[in-house]
Amino acid sequence: MSNECLTVVGGGLVGAAIAYGAARAGARVRLLDQGDVAFRASRGNFGLVWVSSKGSGVPRYARWSRDAAKLWPALHKELLELTGVDSGLRQPGGFWLGFSEAEVEARAKVLEKIDREAGGVPFQMMEPAELRQYLPGLGSAVVGGSFGPLDGHANPLMLLHGLHAGLRLKGADVINGVDVKQVKYDASSSLFEAIAGDGQSWKSERIVLAAGLGNASLTPQVGLCAPVAATRGQVLITERLKPFLDYPTNKARQTVEGTVQIGSTSEDVGLNDGTSSDKIEWLARRAVATFPALAQARLVRAWGALRPLTPDGYPVYQESPSCPGAYVATCHSGVTLASAHALVIGPWMSGLAQTPAEFDVFKGDRFAGPNTSVSHDH
Amino acid sequence: MTTEPLFVLPRTSESEAVTITFEGRALRVPAGISVAAALLAAGVRDFRSSVVGRAPRAPYCMMGVCFECLVEIDDVPARQSCLIEVRDGMQVRRQIGAAELNGGTSERSHD
Amino acid sequence: MTDRVADLVIIGAGPAGMAAACEARSLGLSVLLLDEQVTIGGQIYRSIESAPTDRRTILGQDYAAGQRLVAEFRASGAQYLGGATVWKVSLDGTVDYVANGKAAKAAGKHILIASGAMERPFPIPGWTLPGVMGAGAGQILLKSAGALPTNPIVLAGCGPLLYLLASQYLRAGAKIAALVDTTAPSAYLRAIRYLPAALKGWRDLGKGVKLLTVLRRQAVPVFSGASGLQIEGEKQVEGVTFTHRRKRVQLPASLVLLHQGVVPNTQLSWSIGAEHRWSADQLCWQPVTDAWGRLGETSIYVAGDSRAIVGAQASAVQGRLAALAIGQRLGAATSIARRSNPLLRELKRHTHIRPFLDALYRPNNENRIPESDNVMVCRCEEVTSGQIRHYVQLGCLGPNQTKAFGRCGMGPCQGRFCGLTVTEMIAQARGVEPSDIGYYRIRPPIKPITLGELGG
């Protein structure tokens, strides 16, 4: 056992970004990460850095996503210079594409509402002819769409790689293959103890619970609340293709490497992270309807990943009222928010910065009341 | 572009041969063999260039496992030439780097 | 939705698959056999139905013996579909495949995976150059097209196939510049304790001796105990270098055929989440089955080289045994002992020699786990041995993490040609056993298929 300033439980995109942010701000950081076959939502992420349509009715979340998108270039540049790892950030704006007039109309209403409530989340509705000026291979099934100038995408795997490489270079202690089952708070010493399934344990003055689905059982042990459930997202990835798609869309995006990622489903299937033929075929059909030339593209991988989702779909960030120094961080959009996690949440949770303004809205306490549910489409 | 063939095929009668083209060059090859075998016997050394380093590559396994023999056949990219039999009139091209979709997506020249 | 239904759906038309089909048909089961190749016979009996007589003579009796099995299969009444690429197998018996450019489904009460073996990766400097192929590839070219090397070639590595191919080439009149044998002197000592058991398979041993005699008679230069093997060349192979009797030897070559044994093609069994164990004898993963080939409590069986490397004859016997067990489970046979007991004895006879071969032809560490940092491990995504070691330093504990960090295994071959290397490299770097490292999480599609085929 050893003492250290801050222990982060969870080495996925959320935990790694917060740990990196804490380490770069000067904290002594220990990151506890699971092994090779963990659930790892980070691996199944669709990779969008996305602002559009987020936070209808919760303007703080809309602004939080917008802030994160604006902070992203700084994180991208810093990781590239520090580690040589290119997180693949591209922010040319992004498209949402609709297959029916009804969904296009509903989209316009939501975007207008968010723009008004949050005080400036720009968007533009487009007819197919205009969309084709940006997306030349668009299929006739698309009847309309929206453009969000703040939207973009990145490579979630390279981001994770870059954050881990950066953590090492910032002197953080990264411990792999650890499955934390228990967290304890000793009020007399004000120390937290993270205890792994195999009995190993680590003590520290502060602790951040960023264990994805694991947060559901860990948070109550230190007076926090994050009732996350798994939603399965299946995504498809093609072979590398020559560049043909300059903008990310909600249905398909071409990565820096040239692969086309097609996504994603949102399914409530418990802890099953498998794939299913019907969903794979549905995603394939939808992609070909969107961009007919994709019919020739070869699918190399299909992936099912379990992503943590809170009852209302919004993140949980909170310090424990009963065990000061314990924090929870849980969200669905680990890629979009990575920059804000590194540059804002990390310093806060390591005690080097104040709680961000108007953050009460993200407290887990809200789930004490009746549950509400929101759509979490891009 | 091609050199002395690495492999030589047994003589076949003219009635058992078909014509395919490789990069526009007509090749008379025995019917019933794989595209990869036909190209190797025609002196094609590199079938494609790799997607990252653009290094020359050619078939390694000849049984559909290694994906080194990918070529463009009749405008369809990334086909495993070791698994596909030659057919009269077949047009085969090298695959340079990543696959290029044909389907009117883009008329731009790429890298 | 389901296009075909059968009691037993078999994947792979090699000896295990064909023999299983015959046995299942004799019990009255309906059988559908799917195979990716357009011709029947698998790799071992590749093109057996179309190969002219002179080619069959060159390839020898073991190859020609495939005719009998193919004839039995053709007469069995099993449905056969060639050119069918299976991309998903489900525990409920559904087999998703693509044939003639269209996705289709077959439903089997039971499934037999008989997907055979593949060449073991040979990650050494220069192995990605045009002009370097597997010895298995050379043999496939001979079987399927009668193709012979134009110039004297270099064969390098270890294992019986290397010698078999050499003798077949010599019989066909092709020239062999050299056979570079990487079998280490210590391997003979290691193998000797398995010799008594191997002698029970004296027919197989005799074949090996005969092969060596052929090479000697034709004065083929054999460099035994070669180490430090490398391929030279810029755009294509120009030669090979290696250390022989403490001297560095350089041989010019335009075609080099590499071989260090074959390993089970386990993509399908991994993809359904079956348990696999690391075989320290065969240095590869093997699906865990019962004696009949059944995977856990599923209705899926594995037979032949895709279960563990046993060779063509034993594979066929395993196929029959699996079919018998399946027949019994379906109620088509009440007692199978009378048929299975002699088959089990036959299986033993064919596998007596295996421990001896495994010990003698155990590929050297240096040819499986690259020592230098510049060897291409992932041929598709061009990830080097040095990069893999770097990811381990960054904290990657297993192949799924190195895959996520550097795209190793994400290309079209889906990890087939880097998976074993990566597992062994990580094990070595971390100082643990490959069994502690594990393997890629293999998911459908287990072959790349176009979105058009899928959605069509």
Side-chain angles (χ1 to χ4, degrees), chain A residues 10 37 68 100 103 107 114 120 131 163 195 213 271 284 294 304 352:
Chain A
V37 291
S100 78
E103 63 172 340
R107 178 80 178 180
I114 294 170
L131 289 169
L163 289 170
I195 305 166
L213 292 168
L271 291 182
L294 280 175
L352 298 167

Side-chain angles (χ1 to χ4, degrees), chain A residues 276-326:
Chain A
S276 60
S277 318
D278 59 334
K279 295 289 191 224
I280 291 176
E281 285 162 5
W282 178 77
L283 286 169
R285 267 195 301 279
R286 203 176 72 153
V288 173
T290 313
F291 297 105
L294 280 175
Q296 273 192 349
R298 264 158 236 281
L299 170 65
V300 173
R301 272 170 295 135
W303 197 257
L306 299 179
R307 302 173 67 189
L309 194 63
T310 57
D312 62 8
Y314 295 113
V316 177
Y317 306 110
Q318 187 178 2
E319 180 174 9
S320 170
S322 56
C323 308

Side-chain angles (χ1 to χ4, degrees), chain C residues 120 123 197:
Chain C
R120 178 191 291 280

